[in-house]
Amino acid sequence: MFRRKLTALDYHNPSGFDCKDETEFRNFIVWLEDQKIRHYKIEDRGNLRNIPSSGWPKSFEQYLQDVNCPFTVEERQESVDWLLGLAVRLEYGDNVEKYKNCPPATATETEKPSDPLIHLDSSNPDFKAGVLGLASLLKIQRHDDYLVMLKAIRILIQERLTPEAIAKASQSKEGLPVALDKHILGFDTGDATLNEAAQILRLLHIEDLRDLQTRINEAIVAVQAVIADPKTDHRLGKVGR
């Protein structure tokens, strides 16, 4: 998961790095500080360089605090990724002229974009007409952003209109027998038959409320999936050199 950043930093083994290997991990942290980050003065790196020491984890914990890393020693993968991001930024800052004219990397067959919608031209009239037609057909609320509408359409199709979803919805549900005498009605109509009918209606009402709550939860999840587009990057924390 760190291969691209390690390659950018000229690490000697970008494909085989294993942060779970304690010795390799400690050597990597020392290399990263010595060669790329250089937050400490050379004379202050002794504790970090003392790899066999039992106190090394404490030194590493202090190091994370000193570089303002938002992760702890227990969050090893996250802290490694953050430190790599910091190192890449510092490397770029030291060699702006070298990197500013580099052509952007093109996606290969093995590195396809995670979301194919990002390449659609949302200003195209035919695209807009198609999205509006689908939204109207599926009874989806209109939105000013046509890509947002398309994402909502995709979610609805994936969750409701796939063969598996249709087959699941078509399955008949057999109810379980209920002993009415075990359920307290809470009031008395004065007629045993009416009391029994009221108990049945109450149970059906409770079932409807449960179904409504399930649908509300599904709607919340669907809305969050459409509007949530987190781009938080902990690596952007400000660090002095």
Side-chain angles (χ1 to χ4, degrees):
M1 63 180 295
F2 310 117
R3 181 180 58 83
R4 295 180 65 183
K5 293 176 183 177
L6 290 170
T7 301
L9 294 171
D10 294 324
Y11 187 65
H12 69 279
N13 186 22
S15 300
F17 172 66
D18 181 11
C19 69
K20 296 179 181 178
D21 184 300
E22 190 64 29
T23 301
E24 184 176 7
F25 170 69
R26 294 186 181 188
N27 278 289
F28 164 75
I29 295 299
V30 173
W31 173 84
L32 200 61
E33 167 60 18
D34 281 346
Q35 302 296 323
K36 303 298 178 180
I37 297 179
R38 302 189 296 276
H39 181 76
Y40 288 158
K41 295 180 180 179
I42 295 178
E43 58 269 23
D44 295 333
R45 301 173 189 170
N47 292 334
L48 208 59
R49 287 175 172 175
N50 190 7
I51 293 173
S53 171
S54 59
W56 193 91
K58 286 290 184 183
S59 300
F60 179 54
E61 181 179 16
Q62 184 61 49
Y63 178 68
L64 292 179
Q65 294 176 4
D66 291 341
V67 296
N68 295 326
C69 177
F71 301 104
T72 64
V73 291
E74 288 79 15
E75 299 170 296
R76 178 169 292 191
Q77 289 189 345
E78 292 83 353
S79 60
V80 167
D81 187 59
W82 189 91
L83 289 172
L84 283 172
L86 171 62
V88 168
R89 290 202 317 279
L90 295 176
E91 179 76 6
Y92 176 79
D94 290 341
N95 301 276
V96 175
E97 295 299 324
K98 174 183 176 182
Y99 294 115
K100 71 177 183 179
N101 294 322
C102 290
T106 56
T108 63
E109 292 183 1
T110 57
E111 296 177 345
K112 295 181 180 179
S114 58
D115 190 351
L117 300 182
I118 61 176
H119 294 302
L120 292 175
D121 181 9
S122 59
S123 62
N124 186 292
D126 292 334
F127 171 78
K128 292 181 178 181
V131 171
L132 284 175
L134 282 172
S136 177
L137 181 65
L138 298 173
K139 301 186 185 305
I140 291 178
Q141 179 68 36
R142 289 191 57 173
H143 192 279
D144 293 336
D145 190 330
Y146 286 83
L147 285 178
V148 170
M149 268 200 295
L150 186 58
K151 288 181 180 180
I153 291 170
R154 181 177 64 179
I155 291 170
L156 177 62
I157 292 174
Q158 289 175 339
E159 294 185 353
R160 299 291 179 85
L161 300 180
T162 59
E164 295 79 7
I166 294 173
K168 184 177 180 181
S170 301
Q171 294 176 354
S172 59
K173 298 181 181 179
E174 296 183 1
L176 298 175
V178 176
L180 293 178
D181 57 342
K182 293 184 178 179
H183 296 272
I184 301 175
L185 180 58
F187 60 88
D188 185 9
T189 64
D191 185 290
T193 303
L194 288 178
N195 285 345
E196 187 172 297
Q199 285 178 305
I200 294 173
L201 289 174
R202 169 164 288 187
L203 291 174
L204 290 174
H205 180 60
I206 292 174
E207 179 65 22
D208 287 342
L209 288 177
R210 288 175 177 171
D211 182 61
L212 176 61
Q213 183 62 57
T214 299
R215 292 176 181 272
I216 291 173
N217 292 341
E218 290 176 351
I220 292 173
V221 171
V223 170
Q224 289 175 337
V226 171
I227 66 175
D229 188 20
K231 295 182 180 178
T232 301
D233 191 347
H234 295 293
R235 298 169 304 173
L236 299 180
K238 183 178 179 181
V239 179
R241 294 196 69 183

